[in-house]
Amino acid sequence: MLSWASNDKGGKTLVLTILLTALALLATAFVVVLGRAALKRGTGAPGPESVILGAVANFFDTLGIGSFAPTTAWLRFRKMTPDSFIPATLNVGHALPTMVQSAVFLVLLGIHVDPMLLVSCIVAAVAGAVVGAPLMVRAPVRVVQGIVGVALLIAAALYAMSNLDLMPIGGTATALEPSLMWIAIAGHFIMGMLMSFGIGLYAPALILLSLLGLDPRLAFPIMASACAFLMPTTGFRYINAERIDLRIVIGIALGGIPAVLVAAFVVKEMPIEPLRWAVVVVVLYAAALLLRAAAQKEIAKA
């Protein structure tokens, strides 16, 4: 019998092998479905701006910045797609780069993480996304604008807290006690739901796991893998939705995949505090625009 919380390297290796195999199969299916949808719609080749956006966002995502908030800010700032298209475009566009990122973190750090915690958080996040995806598809545009706008404000606050050393330091644990693990599972379910609306999981998951005493470095394979499994799960639904821009999606994926590999194996670490402050400014601006648009629609409707 496999002892999940033990240091049994054989058992952990088995779990990692299963996860990596599942990721490979999921990525293959996702590429096929996305390719068919793009051909059916006659999407055409992506523009260079979306490719560069995908490269930059996923490069810094691998280093711990996060990709959803900066991408949302840029899409809104440049008016590249309607506001209601943003959540689906984020989840589908960043799915393949995130799957690559998950595989990298699982290989580099996964052997040190309690498999039960890892798998439970993945399953919880996917379940949350399955619940959240149909809600996002049916949500009015102003609701999506308001939710994403508030999410950007929260993201800006988290970036600022990181730079001011106000984030939880975390512990040294590789596993959590059952009571704490249930908190982590519940948190990932909620964060999975919010991911459907374009609210990034990385920062809140890192805070939650650190507060619970987990070694912050070991949060990366959990965060990346939760997103890697939930994004294509909801992405299969979003790909064929009306509110999505497949040209931008493909551009983000094409730019993001090599950028993840460069960040993980070539750069590995670099000073990102100045970049976080720049992201704070851009994200706050985008949040203000989204919230103003949502408020104006509400006033016009009244």
Side-chain angles (χ1 to χ4, degrees):
M1 181 176 179
L2 178 63
S3 180
W4 290 94
S6 73
N7 291 320
D8 177 11
K9 289 188 177 180
K12 289 184 176 181
T13 301
L14 175 61
V15 172
L16 293 180
T17 301
I18 293 172
L19 289 176
L20 290 170
T21 302
L23 269 179
L25 294 174
L26 190 59
T28 301
F30 195 74
V31 169
V32 171
V33 173
L34 178 59
R36 286 178 177 173
L39 290 173
K40 183 178 180 181
R41 293 193 185 189
T43 301
E49 185 174 5
S50 61
V51 176
I52 295 172
L53 174 61
V56 173
N58 284 283
F59 176 85
F60 289 107
D61 185 57
T62 308
L63 298 178
I65 284 283
S67 61
F68 271 30
T71 303
T72 300
W74 189 258
L75 292 175
R76 191 60 178 80
F77 178 71
R78 293 281 295 150
K79 294 182 169 60
M80 291 176 66
T81 191
D83 294 339
S84 61
F85 285 34
I86 290 177
T89 301
L90 292 174
N91 276 278
V92 180
H94 287 296
L96 288 170
T98 303
M99 282 189 267
V100 173
Q101 190 181 138
S102 171
V104 169
F105 285 135
L106 284 174
V107 170
L108 295 180
L109 296 170
I111 195 68
H112 302 293
V113 183
D114 173 23
M116 180 62 84
L117 176 63
L118 175 63
V119 173
S120 298
C121 288
I122 292 172
V123 172
V126 171
V130 169
V131 173
L135 298 178
M136 196 290 294
V137 171
R138 295 194 297 266
V141 172
R142 66 179 182 81
V143 172
V144 176
Q145 288 173 323
I147 292 175
V148 177
V150 171
L152 288 178
L153 290 178
I154 296 172
L158 294 175
Y159 289 140
M161 288 172 62
S162 295
N163 276 9
L164 296 172
D165 295 324
L166 297 177
M167 298 282 275
I169 297 174
T172 59
T174 60
L176 299 177
E177 296 178 1
S179 59
L180 298 180
M181 190 169 71
W182 280 111
I183 295 174
I185 292 171
H188 278 77
F189 178 83
I190 295 170
M191 289 182 282
M193 288 186 62
L194 296 177
M195 276 280 288
S196 302
F197 287 86
I199 300 173
L201 177 145
Y202 274 27
L206 179 59
I207 291 174
L208 175 61
L209 293 171
S210 296
L211 285 172
L212 294 176
L214 192 75
D215 185 332
R217 294 170 300 175
L218 302 185
F220 278 84
I222 296 175
M223 298 183 305
S225 298
C227 293
F229 280 95
L230 80 83
M231 291 167 74
T233 300
T234 56
F236 285 122
R237 181 186 184 102
Y238 289 156
I239 284 173
N240 295 310
E242 294 182 3
R243 299 195 304 201
I244 190 171
D245 191 322
L246 291 182
R247 286 190 68 210
I248 296 177
V249 162
I250 295 172
I252 289 174
L254 290 176
I257 293 172
V260 167
L261 298 175
V262 170
F265 295 112
V266 179
V267 177
K268 298 182 181 178
E269 188 174 348
M270 65 180 292
I272 55 178
E273 286 79 8
L275 178 65
R276 279 205 191 100
W277 285 122
V279 171
V280 167
V281 174
V282 175
V283 166
L284 284 175
Y285 175 74
L289 292 179
L290 280 163
L291 292 173
R292 185 179 68 177
Q296 287 176 341
K297 288 181 182 290
E298 179 68 18
I299 292 173
K301 185 178 178 180

